[in-house]
Amino acid sequence: MYSKLRKPIVSKAAALSLAAIIAGGTAIPGIPAALGGSHFAATNAYAATAETTAIGEYHIVALGDSLTVGYTNGMEKEANPAPYGYVERVYEQALFQGLRASVSNYGILGLTTAELDRYVGAALKGEAIKPSDLPGGNGHDPRIAQLAAATPQLFADVEKADLVVMTIGSNDFLTVFQQFKSGNAEQLIQQMLPEYEKQLETAVRAVIGINPHAEIVISDLYNPAPNDKRFVSESDYKLLAQASADIRTRIEAVVSRLKAEGYNTRVAYVADDFVGKEVSYTTVLAGDFHPNNRGYEVMGKSFAEVIWGAYRVPSKRDDNVPISVVVAGKELQTANKPVLKNSKTYVPMRDITDAMGAKLLWNNKTRTATVTLDGKEVAFTIGAKTMTVDGKPVPIETPAYLQAVGKESKTYLPLAALSDGLGFQVVYRGTIKTAFINK
C-alpha cells in the first residue's frame, strides 16, 4: 500500500503509476518483512494499543487498509515503527471525552474491500481464514499469518466494541489507473463502483452481524494527486476528483440504507479537506501518497467531529511545564503546574484531588495526605517509599514531596500511583505530552 518511487518530483511517466492511488494505495503488491517488526506487530495486528478491556470501558476497533494502519512513507525502514495515524488520534479523542478507552487495530497493508468482507465475514461465521486470503499472503509479511489466525479475537473485539472506524477502498481501484493512456479509466471506474458498494455493504453488515449496537464510522476517500501537471494531466486530475466523489456517493448510499434500518452508521468526510492541500498533507513529493502527520491529524479531526462534534488538543503549555493533565475530560488548569521528577509526573495535591472529586485530609503532624473516593482510600506520607491503599502498604518508586512555591510549600503527589490506588485508568500519550486520568 505504499510507493517505492523516491524522486522528489515525480515524472509524467511515474505519475501514471502514482495516480493508481485514490487514497493511500499503491500498485506495488506485498509488504516488506521489515514491517513485521515486534513493535509494529504488537500495535497493529490485533493487540490492543491501550490497556486490557475492562468492564465499563469504551472500546474502539479499527478495520481497513494502510490508512487504518497509520502507514507513513519510509516506515518500513524504521527498526521499531510506532504508527501515529488517524486511529491513534481517535483513541486520544476518546480519552479527551473522559472515556476509559482502549483500541484494537486490525488495519492491514494492501487490504481491498473484498478482502475486508472475507476477513470480517470469517469472524462472523467462526470460520478460519488462510493467509493467502489476505494481502501479503505470499509470505513477505510476517503479520499475515497472525492476522489470519486472529478471527476469533476479531469477533471478540468487534462484539464488545462501542465504536468501529474504517478506511477501505483505495486498493480496489488500482488497476483502473493503468488505463489512463488507453482512455478506458473512466469506463472501468463506473463498472467497478457497483461491486465496491456491494462489497462494502456486505463487510459492514458482517460487523453489524457481530455487534448491531456499535457506532460505525466509514471514511470517504481523498484524491491524493495534486492538480499539477508534474503529477497528473488536468484531465486525469478531474477524473480522479470525480472518482473520489463517486466513491463517496456509494459510501453514503450504504450508510443511508443501514441508518434507515436503525443502525448507527456515519461517514467521516475527509476528502474535501485534502483538496488543494495534497502536497501539504501527503508525501507525494517523495513519491508516496500516504498522509503525513498533518494529513493524519486532518483525518482524525474529521472522525472526531462526526463522533463527538469536536476535536480537542491540549492547551498551550509554558516552556517549563512538561505535560498536560486531563482528568475525566477536563484539563487540569492551575497555577501550580505538573512537575516531572525522576521520570515520574507529580501534581499538586489539592488541585488533583479536587479535579477527581475526591475527599482530602491532611495530617500536618505526620505529614500524611489521605485521599478517599468511592469507597477507596489512598494515603501518602511525605518522603515515604510506600503508600497505603485501603490500609495495605504498597511500594512506590517515587514518594510524595514538598515543593516550594513562592513563600509556601505545596504537597506534590505521584500522579500514576494516586490514580492507580483510586482505580482510575492512567494513560500517558507522549505524542501530545498529555496524561489522561479516567474512571
Side-chain angles (χ1 to χ4, degrees):
M1 298 263 319
Y2 60 91
S3 174
K4 289 186 177 179
L5 295 172
R6 303 299 180 192
K7 294 181 181 179
I9 299 298
V10 184
S11 67
K12 185 174 182 181
L16 295 177
S17 175
L18 285 174
I21 307 161
I22 288 185
T26 180
I28 302 174
I31 39 184
L35 284 181
S38 59
H39 181 86
F40 188 88
T43 56
N44 280 282
Y46 58 84
T49 60
E51 297 159 5
T52 303
T53 304
I55 296 175
E57 193 166 86
Y58 182 86
H59 189 56
I60 303 166
V61 171
L63 300 169
D65 52 27
S66 61
L67 298 183
T68 297
V69 171
Y71 177 84
T72 52
N73 184 39
M75 181 181 286
E76 70 276 9
K77 295 182 178 180
E78 301 174 20
N80 293 296
Y84 185 43
Y86 86 87
V87 175
E88 288 73 27
R89 288 168 166 85
V90 169
Y91 168 57
E92 290 173 349
Q93 291 303 303
L95 296 171
F96 266 118
Q97 296 299 314
L99 298 169
R100 190 184 183 104
S102 65
V103 58
S104 297
N105 192 332
Y106 288 84
I108 303 176
L109 296 162
L111 195 72
T112 65
T113 309
E115 289 162 338
L116 176 63
D117 181 2
R118 196 176 304 143
Y119 192 35
V120 183
L124 172 62
K125 298 172 185 176
E127 297 176 350
I129 191 169
K130 296 180 295 184
S132 57
D133 292 328
L134 298 174
N138 51 16
H140 293 306
D141 179 11
R143 300 188 312 136
I144 291 299
Q146 184 184 22
L147 286 159
T151 52
Q153 184 62 45
L154 173 59
F155 182 96
D157 283 336
V158 172
E159 187 178 37
K160 68 190 177 189
D162 298 281
L163 172 66
V164 176
V165 295
M166 298 172 59
T167 55
I168 193 68
S170 59
N171 294 294
D172 296 40
F173 297 89
L174 294 181
T175 57
V176 169
F177 302 99
Q178 298 169 4
Q179 305 297 319
F180 273 152
K181 287 185 177 180
S182 66
N184 295 326
E186 183 174 4
Q187 180 181 357
L188 186 54
I189 290 173
Q190 295 307 314
Q191 291 173 350
M192 295 178 69
L193 283 170
E195 186 64 19
Y196 165 72
E197 180 180 343
K198 178 182 176 181
Q199 291 170 341
L200 175 64
E201 182 166 352
T202 303
V204 178
R205 285 191 182 278
V207 172
I208 291 171
I210 299 172
N211 182 350
H213 306 295
E215 180 177 7
I216 303 171
V217 182
I218 309 163
S219 171
D220 64 356
L221 307 182
Y222 67 86
N223 166 26
N227 189 9
D228 186 324
K229 292 182 180 179
R230 294 175 300 172
F231 296 91
V232 291
S233 67
E234 185 175 352
S235 61
D236 287 343
Y237 175 81
K238 290 180 179 179
L239 176 60
L240 287 167
Q242 185 59 51
S244 179
D246 290 343
I247 291 169
R248 177 172 57 199
T249 298
R250 298 288 176 160
I251 295 171
E252 288 175 332
V254 172
V255 167
S256 179
R257 284 194 292 273
L258 293 171
K259 287 180 71 173
E261 295 175 25
Y263 300 114
N264 188 4
T265 53
R266 304 197 215 181
V267 181
Y269 290 98
V270 169
D272 287 348
D273 291 327
F274 278 75
V275 175
K277 298 179 181 178
E278 297 87 358
V279 171
S280 299
Y281 290 168
T282 74
T283 50
V284 64
L285 291 181
D288 184 273
F289 281 150
H290 283 88
N292 55 21
N293 187 59
R294 292 178 67 189
Y296 276 122
E297 183 173 15
V298 167
M299 291 184 68
K301 183 177 180 181
S302 296
F303 273 90
E305 288 176 344
V306 168
I307 299 164
W308 294 293
Y311 183 77
R312 292 181 58 182
V313 295
S315 299
K316 186 176 180 180
R317 293 180 293 270
D318 293 337
D319 292 339
N320 62 341
V321 179
I323 71 166
S324 302
V325 177
V326 178
V327 182
K330 294 183 179 180
E331 189 169 348
L332 190 64
Q333 299 284 6
T334 171
N336 306 307
K337 303 300 183 183
V339 172
L340 195 63
K341 186 179 177 70
N342 298 325
S343 300
K344 302 294 181 182
T345 302
Y346 283 79
V347 286
M349 175 179 68
R350 177 66 64 180
D351 294 334
I352 189 62
T353 55
D354 285 350
M356 288 178 163
K359 180 181 178 181
L360 172 64
L361 292 176
W362 171 253
N363 187 320
N364 196 49
K365 184 177 180 180
T366 62
R367 300 204 303 176
T368 299
T370 302
V371 184
T372 57
L373 179 67
D374 296 336
K376 287 186 173 292
E377 181 181 277
V378 181
F380 295 89
T381 299
I382 300 297
K385 292 189 176 180
T386 60
M387 65 179 183
T388 61
V389 179
D390 295 333
K392 297 179 180 179
V394 176
I396 54 177
E397 295 181 19
T398 48
Y401 74 99
L402 293 175
Q403 167 133 330
V405 180
K407 296 181 179 180
E408 298 181 330
S409 291
K410 297 286 184 181
T411 300
Y412 270 67
L413 304 179
L415 178 61
L418 172 63
S419 303
D420 286 342
L422 292 175
F424 281 69
Q425 180 197 46
V426 184
V427 177
Y428 175 68
R429 295 294 294 169
T431 50
I432 52 176
K433 295 183 180 180
T434 300
F436 293 92
I437 314 299
N438 291 321
K439 286 187 178 182

